[in-house]
Amino acid sequence: MYPFIVNRRVVLHVGMLGLPLSFVDAAFSSRVSGGIGSAKSCILLWLDGGPSHLEMFDPKPEAPTEVRGPFGAIRTSIPGIMIGELLTETAKVCDKFAIIRSVTSPLGEHGLANQYMLTGFKPSTVVHPSFGAVQQFVKPSTTDLPPYVTIPEAAGLEAGFLGAEFEPFSVGGDPSQKNFEIKDLQPALGLDTGRILRRKDFLKKIYSFQRPDVSNGPVMDPAMDRAFRLVLSPSAKQAFDLDRESEGTRQRYGERSFGQSCLLARRLIEQGVRFVTIRYRGWDTHDNLQLYLRDGYSGAKVGVGLIPTFDRAFSALLHDLEERRMLDETLVIAMGEFGRTPKLNARGGRDHWPRVFSVVMAGGGVRGGQVIGRSDFTGESPIEYPVTPSDLAYSIFRLLGIDPKRELTTPDGRPIPVNQGGAWIDGLA
C-alpha cells in the first residue's frame, strides 16, 4: 500500500468538523465549474511504448549511476524544478506546463496499459471509448472538419462501445514528406463535384427508404454525411495543407514527422477540430538509451533521437499556441502508457515500469510552473500524492468541461459513467 499522502488537506478539516466527505466532492465540483473547464479542444501527444520518466521529467541526479542513467539533469525557467538534460527547449517553457510525477498503475503490458491510460478504465469485457470519442459524443462539432483526428493513425481503442460514428479520422500519412496529402480528401479519378453530389442525393433516398418511420430525424447516416461534407469542403482541405505555413514556422517545429504532426495539430485545432491525438512511436527502449533517446536510430547524427525531437516540437507547440492566444483554450497532454525501470538493464536500456511515471499537462486552465506528486529517490514508487489513470481521466474531462459523472449508454442499454473511481488532481488548475 502506498502511504496516504494527499494534497487535499481540506479532507482533514472536513473530518474534524464532522461534515460528510461528500462535502469535499461538492467543493471541488464547484471550483471546477467555476473556472477550470475552459478547454475547448485538446492535443494529446501519445508517446507510444512508454517514455522513461528518469530521462525526461523526473531525473534523479543524486542517485547511483545505474539509476541515474547516461544523462544528467538541467535547471528550468522555474527555480527548483529540474528535468532531463536533453529537454533544453522544454526547460525554457516550464512556466507553461505542470508535471505530475506520481502517476501509478498496476498494468505493465502495452495493450492493457494503453486502455487504462486512454480511457481511465481498467480493461474489462466492456471496451470503453477514448477521451476524444467521449468529447465528440458529448460536444458534437458543427464544422466540416472531423471533430476527432489522429496523426498518423489511431493509438488503440478509440470509440469503444460508442460505435463507428465516433471513431477518429486518421490522417494516415507523414506530414513531414513533401508529397504529403490526405488520401481520403481526394475524390477518386473521374469524380467531380457534380457526380459526388448526385451520389449523396442517391444515398439520402436509400436512407429514407430504409427508415420510413423516422420523422424529423437525420436524412442520412451522420458519419456518411460528415464524410461528404469533408470531401466537398475547400476550407477542410486547407486546414490539412501545411504548405500554407511559412518555412520559418515549419522549421521551428522541426522537420521530422513528430514536429510537423504537432504543427498540423495546431492548424486543425485552429480550424475547429476538438481533439487531436499524435501517435509518436519508438519509446519502448529496452536497450541502448543513448542511441534511441539522444542520437537517433541511425546513430549518425546527435540530436535527432526521440527526446530532442520531442523537445523541439513540444516547446514550439506551446509557444505557438500562446502567441496565437489559443493556449488557454487548448489542453495539451504528453504521456505514454507507463514509465521505465529505475535501474538500467544489462543492455543499457530500461524495461516496463508502471508503478510510477510522469505525465505533463499544459494549457486549458492548467496552472503551469509546478510539480504535482513525487516519486522516491530512485523513481521506483510514488511517495507523495499517487495519481491513478482514473484520476487523470477525471481531471482531463473536467478541464474539457465534461461532467465525469455523466452516463453513457452501451448498445445493449447498459448505463456507464464517463469516469469511475477517479478524483480531481488537486492543484492542477
Side-chain angles (χ1 to χ4, degrees), residues 15-330:
M16 291 175 186
L17 292 171
L19 297 174
L21 289 180
S22 60
F23 174 85
V24 179
D25 286 335
F28 286 126
S29 296
S30 174
R31 179 185 172 195
V32 170
S33 62
I36 290 182
S38 62
K40 294 181 179 178
S41 55
C42 180
I43 298 174
L44 171 59
L45 309 178
W46 179 251
L47 310 185
D48 195 26
S52 172
H53 54 297
L54 295 154
E55 268 68 44
M56 295 186 74
F57 292 103
D58 193 11
K60 303 296 180 181
E62 305 300 324
T65 303
E66 65 270 19
V67 172
R68 186 170 68 246
F71 309 119
I74 56 173
R75 293 185 175 87
T76 68
S77 59
I78 302 299
I81 298 180
M82 301 186 75
I83 58 177
E85 70 169 70
L86 301 181
L87 294 166
T88 54
E89 296 304 311
T90 300
K92 300 173 185 177
V93 294
C94 189
D95 61 304
K96 296 176 176 55
F97 60 83
I99 306 171
I100 307 171
R101 284 181 172 166
S102 55
V103 182
T104 182
S105 164
L107 303 177
E109 188 276 328
H110 292 293
L112 300 178
N114 286 356
Q115 291 184 49
Y116 198 11
M117 287 297 291
L118 289 169
T119 68
F121 284 85
K122 291 180 180 178
S124 68
T125 55
V126 177
V127 182
H128 293 274
S130 59
F131 303 133
V134 172
Q135 187 187 36
Q136 183 182 173
F137 179 86
V138 174
K139 297 186 173 185
S141 174
T142 57
T143 69
D144 292 333
L145 283 162
Y148 180 19
V149 176
T150 55
I151 309 172
E153 73 281 309
L157 297 181
E158 315 322 325
F161 64 73
L162 289 179
E165 182 182 346
F166 300 97
E167 291 288 342
F169 177 86
S170 292
V171 168
D174 182 352
S176 68
Q177 298 300 308
K178 291 184 178 180
N179 60 349
F180 169 69
E181 64 178 24
I182 311 300
K183 63 178 182 179
D184 292 332
L185 292 186
Q186 308 303 321
L189 290 176
L191 276 182
D192 56 20
T193 301
R195 290 187 67 186
I196 294 173
L197 288 173
R198 287 196 294 273
R199 292 188 177 194
K200 182 178 181 181
D201 288 338
F202 181 66
L203 283 172
K204 283 182 180 179
K205 292 177 181 178
I206 293 177
Y207 191 75
S208 61
F209 177 76
Q210 291 175 331
R211 305 184 64 186
D213 57 323
V214 177
S215 60
N216 299 322
V219 295
M220 192 176 193
D221 176 75
M224 186 65 73
D225 184 55
R226 283 201 306 270
F228 273 107
R229 286 193 286 118
L230 182 60
V231 170
L232 294 169
S233 171
S235 61
K237 294 177 182 178
Q238 290 175 10
F240 286 96
D241 187 1
L242 286 177
D243 289 336
R244 293 178 173 270
E245 296 289 336
S246 70
E247 186 60 29
T249 299
R250 298 196 68 167
Q251 287 297 319
R252 184 181 190 181
Y253 279 84
E255 67 277 6
R256 298 176 68 80
S257 178
F258 179 69
Q260 295 303 296
S261 296
C262 287
L263 176 56
L264 178 58
R266 190 270 288 160
R267 284 186 62 83
L268 294 174
I269 293 296
E270 198 170 25
Q271 296 302 315
V273 174
R274 295 286 181 83
F275 204 106
V276 179
T277 296
I278 300 171
R279 189 180 189 185
Y280 186 15
R281 292 173 175 265
W283 296 88
D284 196 20
T285 49
H286 289 277
D287 59 85
N288 205 338
L289 288 181
Q290 290 191 194
L291 175 63
Y292 297 130
L293 296 186
R294 185 189 66 188
D295 302 338
Y297 285 92
S298 66
K301 183 180 179 182
V302 173
V304 297
L306 291 164
I307 296 181
T309 299
F310 169 86
D311 176 53
R312 184 171 178 177
F314 178 64
S315 58
L317 178 62
L318 297 188
H319 273 303
D320 203 2
L321 289 171
E322 185 174 59
E323 289 170 0
R324 294 169 184 270
R325 298 183 179 180
M326 295 169 59
L327 189 58
D328 287 343
E329 295 183 344
T330 306

